[in-house]
Amino acid sequence: MRILLLNPNTSVSVTTLVADRVAAVAGDAATFVPVTARFGAAYIASRTALAIAGHAALDAFAEHAAGCDAVFIACFGDPGLLALREISPVPVVGMLEASCLEARHGAGRYGIVTGGALWKPMLEEIVAGFGLGDGLAGIRTVERTGGEIARDPDAALAALAAACRDCVEKDGAEAVILGGAALAGLASRLQPQVPVPVLCSVEAGVRACLAAARAPYARPAPVTMETVHLAPALSTLLG
């Protein structure tokens, strides 16, 4: 299988980090083709950046999705997920939705820990929009953004572990999702310090993407519209 690994952030280093983790989890089950957004924020940490990233995800999909069996959005906010599902001939999986589904199925009540205070209300709205808010025990954020954690993960480990424990002890979470592309691989390092399962959102996304790529898929009806000033590939796809 060939799967498009789409990073809606513009940080190539984050794409590389996620691609390495994805390859370790997927093994020889699929080839993941990494693509970085050509415009937008280096690391998404606000509503403005998330909105721009949705367009960037559509743009990258139009340019690079040909020949792929599935699409994996490598960003915990799942920018553009529903729009991509509207136009994609193959399954599209987002890290946030996939990890919430896995956590709810395995534990019932789950918490989320991520970097950047602005993410808390954004994630609450997105999770509720997916219809998964009933299992959400709480969301905890640390001061460092995902981009800052990616640059120096060791410096963030103590704060992330404390936030995970708060999810368990104060919010009643029975599992904790460590959310964010830049936090790939840190869940296993935090697990010894947390009394419930800690799920890596990247790894959960990979598992969901492989399952989706293998399952039957009903292609949506084509979406067409008149557009102006879009990139040629996206304009052609929609026109």
Side-chain angles (χ1 to χ4, degrees):
M1 293 187 293
R2 177 182 167 91
I3 297 175
L4 178 63
L5 173 62
L6 198 166
N7 176 18
N9 303 276
T10 59
S11 173
V12 176
S13 62
V14 171
T15 305
T16 301
L17 174 67
V18 174
D20 288 346
R21 190 62 197 164
V22 165
V25 175
D28 59 3
T31 297
F32 282 77
V33 182
V35 171
T36 306
R38 67 182 183 88
F39 59 85
Y43 196 87
I44 301 162
S46 67
R47 294 181 190 277
T48 303
L50 188 66
I52 295 169
H55 179 189
L58 291 167
D59 178 86
F61 171 84
E63 187 74 33
H64 301 284
C68 289
D69 300 295
V71 179
F72 178 34
I73 303 176
C75 172
F76 194 57
D78 293 354
L81 174 62
L82 299 183
L84 285 168
R85 284 179 176 166
E86 186 177 65
I87 63 172
S88 174
V90 296
V92 182
V93 172
M95 287 167 48
L96 173 57
E97 184 187 46
S99 54
C100 289
L101 286 169
E102 181 174 314
R104 190 176 70 167
H105 177 73
R109 290 184 58 77
Y110 61 92
I112 295 174
V113 169
T114 193
L118 292 178
W119 270 114
K120 185 176 188 296
M122 293 161 58
L123 290 174
E124 288 172 341
E125 293 167 9
I126 298 168
V127 171
F130 288 153
L132 299 172
D134 58 333
L136 181 61
I139 297 173
R140 300 278 172 167
T141 62
V142 298
E143 183 177 353
R144 287 181 172 87
T145 66
E148 292 168 337
I149 293 171
R151 288 190 291 272
D152 189 2
D154 290 343
L157 286 178
L160 290 170
C164 289
R165 290 192 295 270
D166 282 345
C167 276
V168 178
E169 297 164 5
K170 298 179 181 180
D171 302 332
E174 299 167 286
V176 178
I177 299 167
L178 192 64
L183 281 64
L186 296 184
S188 60
R189 298 179 64 183
L190 294 173
Q191 185 62 78
Q193 304 177 59
V194 183
V196 301
V198 180
L199 306 180
C200 172
S201 61
V202 173
E203 295 174 10
V206 172
R207 289 188 287 268
C209 202
L210 292 174
R214 296 185 184 109
Y217 181 71
R219 179 173 180 166
V223 172
T224 60
M225 64 185 74
E226 294 184 14
T227 62
V228 295
H229 305 312
L230 294 178
L234 183 55
S235 180
T236 300
L237 176 65
L238 297 177

